[in-house]
Amino acid sequence: MTHGNAGDAPAAARPAGVIVTDPPRAGAEHADALGAYGVATVHEAMGRTGCLGPGLRPVQQDVRIAGTAVTALCRPGDNLMIHAAIEQCAEGDILVVTTTSPSTDGMFGELFATALHHRGVRGLVIDAGVRDTAELRAMGFPVWSAAVCAQGTVKATAGSVNVPVVVGGQCIRPGDVILADDDGVMCVPRESAATAVEAAKARTAKEEATRAAFAEGQLGLDRYGLRETLDRLGVRYQPYAEHAAHARGGAVS
Protein backbone atom coordinates (compact mmCIF):
# COMPACT_ATOMS: atom_id res chain seq x y z
CA MET A 1 0.00 0.00 0.00
CA THR A 2 1.31 3.46 -0.84
CA HIS A 3 0.80 6.53 1.29
CA GLY A 4 0.57 10.22 0.43
CA ASN A 5 -1.16 13.47 1.22
CA ALA A 6 -4.74 13.89 0.17
CA GLY A 7 -3.72 16.75 -2.08
CA ASP A 8 -1.15 14.72 -4.02
CA ALA A 9 -1.64 14.77 -7.78
CA PRO A 10 -2.40 11.45 -9.49
CA ALA A 11 0.69 9.60 -10.68
CA ALA A 12 -0.24 10.21 -14.32
CA ALA A 13 -0.24 13.97 -13.71
CA ARG A 14 3.21 14.09 -12.14
CA PRO A 15 6.11 14.55 -14.59
CA ALA A 16 8.42 11.55 -14.45
CA GLY A 17 11.37 13.35 -16.00
CA VAL A 18 12.42 15.82 -18.64
CA ILE A 19 14.86 15.96 -21.56
CA VAL A 20 15.95 19.55 -22.08
CA THR A 21 17.12 20.27 -25.61
CA ASP A 22 19.62 22.88 -26.84
CA PRO A 23 20.74 24.35 -23.50
CA PRO A 24 23.23 27.26 -23.58
CA ARG A 25 26.85 26.17 -23.69
CA ALA A 26 30.12 27.88 -22.81
CA GLY A 27 32.03 28.99 -25.88
CA ALA A 28 33.99 26.18 -27.50
CA GLU A 29 37.04 28.45 -27.68
CA HIS A 30 37.00 28.90 -23.90
CA ALA A 31 36.57 25.18 -23.22
CA ASP A 32 39.43 24.41 -25.61
CA ALA A 33 41.64 27.04 -24.00
CA LEU A 34 41.00 25.62 -20.53
CA GLY A 35 42.03 22.23 -21.88
CA ALA A 36 45.59 23.56 -22.07
CA TYR A 37 45.71 23.82 -18.27
CA GLY A 38 45.52 21.18 -15.58
CA VAL A 39 42.65 20.73 -13.14
CA ALA A 40 44.82 21.81 -10.21
CA THR A 41 45.90 25.01 -11.96
CA VAL A 42 42.39 26.08 -12.95
CA HIS A 43 41.02 25.10 -9.54
CA GLU A 44 43.60 27.32 -7.81
CA ALA A 45 43.14 30.10 -10.33
CA MET A 46 39.40 30.15 -9.65
CA GLY A 47 39.87 30.58 -5.92
CA ARG A 48 40.00 26.86 -5.08
CA THR A 49 36.47 26.28 -6.38
CA GLY A 50 34.81 23.76 -8.67
CA CYS A 51 36.60 20.56 -7.64
CA LEU A 52 34.40 17.45 -7.73
CA GLY A 53 36.48 15.78 -5.00
CA PRO A 54 38.56 12.60 -4.73
CA GLY A 55 35.77 10.14 -5.50
CA LEU A 56 36.11 10.33 -9.29
CA ARG A 57 39.15 8.54 -10.68
CA PRO A 58 40.31 8.07 -14.28
CA VAL A 59 40.30 4.60 -15.83
CA GLN A 60 43.27 5.73 -17.97
CA GLN A 61 46.42 7.77 -17.36
CA ASP A 62 48.07 10.82 -18.90
CA VAL A 63 44.87 12.15 -20.45
CA ARG A 64 43.39 15.62 -20.07
CA ILE A 65 40.07 16.73 -21.55
CA ALA A 66 37.87 19.80 -21.44
CA GLY A 67 34.42 20.29 -22.90
CA THR A 68 30.87 21.38 -22.24
CA ALA A 69 28.59 19.32 -20.01
CA VAL A 70 25.58 17.31 -21.06
CA THR A 71 24.03 15.98 -17.87
CA ALA A 72 22.03 12.83 -17.18
CA LEU A 73 20.20 12.07 -13.94
CA CYS A 74 19.49 8.34 -13.65
CA ARG A 75 17.97 5.97 -11.13
CA PRO A 76 20.46 3.56 -9.49
CA GLY A 77 21.07 0.50 -11.61
CA ASP A 78 19.21 1.98 -14.58
CA ASN A 79 20.94 3.52 -17.60
CA LEU A 80 17.87 4.43 -19.67
CA MET A 81 18.63 8.15 -19.47
CA ILE A 82 22.17 7.66 -20.74
CA HIS A 83 20.61 6.42 -23.97
CA ALA A 84 18.45 9.56 -24.00
CA ALA A 85 21.42 11.81 -23.20
CA ILE A 86 23.50 10.53 -26.10
CA GLU A 87 20.97 12.01 -28.51
CA GLN A 88 21.55 15.43 -26.92
CA CYS A 89 25.36 15.23 -27.13
CA ALA A 90 27.32 17.18 -29.73
CA GLU A 91 30.95 17.54 -30.73
CA GLY A 92 33.03 18.97 -27.91
CA ASP A 93 30.68 17.83 -25.13
CA ILE A 94 31.46 15.74 -22.07
CA LEU A 95 28.69 13.52 -20.70
CA VAL A 96 28.18 13.88 -16.93
CA VAL A 97 26.07 11.18 -15.26
CA THR A 98 24.87 10.83 -11.70
CA THR A 99 22.15 8.88 -9.91
CA THR A 100 19.36 9.85 -7.54
CA SER A 101 20.98 7.78 -4.78
CA PRO A 102 24.40 6.11 -4.57
CA SER A 103 25.12 3.38 -7.11
CA THR A 104 28.23 1.47 -8.13
CA ASP A 105 26.65 -0.63 -10.89
CA GLY A 106 28.43 -0.68 -14.24
CA MET A 107 26.10 1.71 -16.04
CA PHE A 108 28.45 2.55 -18.94
CA GLY A 109 30.68 0.50 -21.19
CA GLU A 110 32.30 0.17 -24.60
CA LEU A 111 29.06 0.25 -26.61
CA PHE A 112 28.02 3.59 -25.12
CA ALA A 113 31.53 4.92 -25.73
CA THR A 114 31.32 3.90 -29.37
CA ALA A 115 28.10 5.89 -29.81
CA LEU A 116 29.54 8.93 -28.05
CA HIS A 117 32.79 8.78 -29.98
CA HIS A 118 30.80 8.94 -33.21
CA ARG A 119 29.20 12.18 -32.03
CA GLY A 120 32.52 13.82 -31.14
CA VAL A 121 32.02 13.59 -27.38
CA ARG A 122 35.31 14.01 -25.52
CA GLY A 123 34.70 11.78 -22.51
CA LEU A 124 32.53 10.69 -19.61
CA VAL A 125 32.32 11.72 -15.96
CA ILE A 126 30.05 9.39 -13.98
CA ASP A 127 29.31 9.33 -10.27
CA ALA A 128 28.57 5.62 -10.49
CA GLY A 129 30.18 2.53 -12.01
CA VAL A 130 31.63 1.68 -15.43
CA ARG A 131 32.81 -1.54 -17.03
CA ASP A 132 34.72 -2.61 -20.16
CA THR A 133 37.62 -0.52 -18.93
CA ALA A 134 40.22 -2.32 -21.05
CA GLU A 135 38.13 -1.67 -24.16
CA LEU A 136 37.63 1.97 -23.17
CA ARG A 137 41.39 2.45 -22.87
CA ALA A 138 42.02 0.63 -26.14
CA MET A 139 39.61 2.86 -28.05
CA GLY A 140 40.96 6.00 -26.37
CA PHE A 141 37.68 7.11 -24.82
CA PRO A 142 38.46 8.88 -21.51
CA VAL A 143 36.35 8.10 -18.44
CA TRP A 144 36.32 9.29 -14.84
CA SER A 145 34.13 7.21 -12.53
CA ALA A 146 33.31 6.57 -8.90
CA ALA A 147 33.56 2.80 -9.32
CA VAL A 148 34.46 0.00 -11.71
CA CYS A 149 31.98 -2.87 -11.61
CA ALA A 150 30.77 -5.59 -13.97
CA GLN A 151 27.26 -5.51 -12.47
CA GLY A 152 24.78 -4.72 -15.25
CA THR A 153 21.77 -2.41 -15.30
CA VAL A 154 18.21 -2.19 -16.61
CA LYS A 155 16.52 0.39 -18.84
CA ALA A 156 13.20 0.87 -17.12
CA THR A 157 12.95 4.05 -15.06
CA ALA A 158 12.49 7.67 -16.04
CA GLY A 159 15.06 10.33 -15.24
CA SER A 160 16.18 13.62 -16.75
CA VAL A 161 18.69 14.99 -19.23
CA ASN A 162 20.28 18.45 -19.27
CA VAL A 163 19.10 19.46 -15.81
CA PRO A 164 21.41 20.69 -13.02
CA VAL A 165 23.01 17.80 -11.13
CA VAL A 166 25.23 17.62 -8.06
CA VAL A 167 28.48 15.64 -8.11
CA GLY A 168 31.01 15.85 -5.31
CA GLY A 169 29.11 18.72 -3.74
CA GLN A 170 29.33 20.81 -6.93
CA CYS A 171 26.33 21.87 -8.99
CA ILE A 172 26.90 21.14 -12.68
CA ARG A 173 24.57 22.67 -15.22
CA PRO A 174 24.32 21.72 -18.88
CA GLY A 175 26.80 23.82 -20.84
CA ASP A 176 29.23 24.35 -17.96
CA VAL A 177 32.86 23.54 -18.72
CA ILE A 178 34.17 20.22 -17.40
CA LEU A 179 37.93 19.79 -17.06
CA ALA A 180 39.40 16.39 -16.15
CA ASP A 181 42.87 14.87 -15.89
CA ASP A 182 44.89 12.55 -13.64
CA ASP A 183 44.24 14.85 -10.65
CA GLY A 184 40.45 14.57 -10.92
CA VAL A 185 37.56 16.59 -12.30
CA MET A 186 36.36 20.17 -11.91
CA CYS A 187 33.54 22.34 -13.20
CA VAL A 188 33.71 25.94 -14.40
CA PRO A 189 30.33 27.72 -14.68
CA ARG A 190 29.65 28.61 -18.30
CA GLU A 191 29.41 32.34 -17.47
CA SER A 192 32.89 32.21 -15.90
CA ALA A 193 34.67 30.33 -18.69
CA ALA A 194 36.37 33.38 -20.24
CA THR A 195 37.44 34.66 -16.82
CA ALA A 196 38.79 31.20 -15.95
CA VAL A 197 40.98 31.20 -19.05
CA GLU A 198 42.60 34.50 -18.10
CA ALA A 199 42.98 33.46 -14.46
CA ALA A 200 44.59 30.14 -15.46
CA LYS A 201 46.96 31.98 -17.80
CA ALA A 202 48.05 34.29 -14.96
CA ARG A 203 48.37 31.37 -12.54
CA THR A 204 50.55 29.46 -14.99
CA ALA A 205 52.88 32.46 -15.46
CA LYS A 206 53.19 32.77 -11.69
CA GLU A 207 53.96 29.06 -11.32
CA GLU A 208 56.61 29.25 -14.04
CA ALA A 209 58.35 32.09 -12.22
CA THR A 210 58.20 30.18 -8.94
CA ARG A 211 59.51 27.02 -10.60
CA ALA A 212 62.51 28.94 -11.93
CA ALA A 213 63.19 30.43 -8.49
CA PHE A 214 62.99 27.03 -6.78
CA ALA A 215 65.31 25.55 -9.41
CA GLU A 216 67.86 28.20 -8.39
CA GLY A 217 67.55 27.29 -4.72
CA GLN A 218 65.08 29.81 -3.33
CA LEU A 219 62.89 28.44 -0.53
CA GLY A 220 59.15 28.73 -0.37
CA LEU A 221 59.57 30.12 3.16
CA ASP A 222 61.22 33.19 1.65
CA ARG A 223 59.39 33.48 -1.67
CA TYR A 224 55.97 33.36 -0.02
CA GLY A 225 56.95 35.34 3.10
CA LEU A 226 56.16 32.37 5.31
CA ARG A 227 58.82 33.05 7.93
CA GLU A 228 56.66 35.92 9.15
CA THR A 229 53.67 33.56 9.24
CA LEU A 230 55.59 31.03 11.33
CA ASP A 231 56.67 33.78 13.72
CA ARG A 232 53.13 35.14 14.01
CA LEU A 233 51.87 31.63 14.85
CA GLY A 234 54.49 31.20 17.54
CA VAL A 235 56.54 28.56 15.76
CA ARG A 236 60.19 28.75 16.81
CA TYR A 237 63.45 27.12 15.85
CA GLN A 238 65.17 25.03 18.55
CA PRO A 239 68.46 23.10 18.48
CA TYR A 240 68.03 19.35 18.78
CA ALA A 241 69.89 19.01 22.07
CA GLU A 242 67.73 21.69 23.70
CA HIS A 243 64.55 20.15 22.33
CA ALA A 244 65.54 16.67 23.53
CA ALA A 245 66.38 17.98 26.99
CA HIS A 246 63.04 19.72 27.30
CA ALA A 247 61.29 16.53 26.17
CA ARG A 248 63.06 14.64 29.00
CA GLY A 249 62.16 17.36 31.45
CA GLY A 250 65.77 18.14 32.14
CA ALA A 251 68.36 20.77 31.33
CA VAL A 252 70.89 20.77 28.53
CA SER A 253 74.17 19.25 29.78
Side-chain angles (χ1 to χ4, degrees), residues 96-242:
V96 179
V97 178
T98 190
T99 51
T100 55
S101 60
S103 176
T104 57
D105 293 341
M107 299 177 64
F108 183 100
E110 176 257 340
L111 293 179
F112 272 146
T114 300
L116 289 173
H117 178 75
H118 174 76
R119 302 180 79 86
V121 174
R122 293 177 175 174
L124 169 78
V125 173
I126 180 169
D127 193 17
V130 297
R131 58 186 186 179
D132 301 336
T133 55
E135 289 81 1
L136 293 172
R137 287 189 292 270
M139 67 185 296
F141 188 82
V143 170
W144 285 256
S145 72
V148 174
C149 183
Q151 175 67 45
T153 58
V154 299
K155 303 165 179 60
T157 316
S160 293
V161 173
N162 277 335
V163 298
V165 297
V166 176
V167 178
Q170 299 293 324
C171 179
I172 302 168
R173 299 166 306 158
D176 286 347
V177 176
I178 300 296
L179 181 64
D181 61 19
D182 285 348
D183 290 334
V185 185
M186 73 166 296
C187 175
V188 176
R190 55 182 182 254
E191 300 90 347
S192 303
T195 301
V197 172
E198 294 304 314
K201 186 184 300 182
R203 174 81 187 186
T204 298
K206 180 180 179 181
E207 289 178 348
E208 288 174 352
T210 300
R211 186 179 300 107
F214 285 176
E216 293 176 357
Q218 186 178 17
L219 296 174
L221 286 173
D222 299 311
R223 186 167 185 84
Y224 301 138
L226 297 178
R227 295 189 189 279
E228 292 82 357
T229 302
L230 291 175
D231 185 64
R232 175 172 53 80
L233 293 173
V235 179
R236 61 193 179 94
Y237 288 85
Q238 187 177 49
Y240 174 79
E242 180 182 337

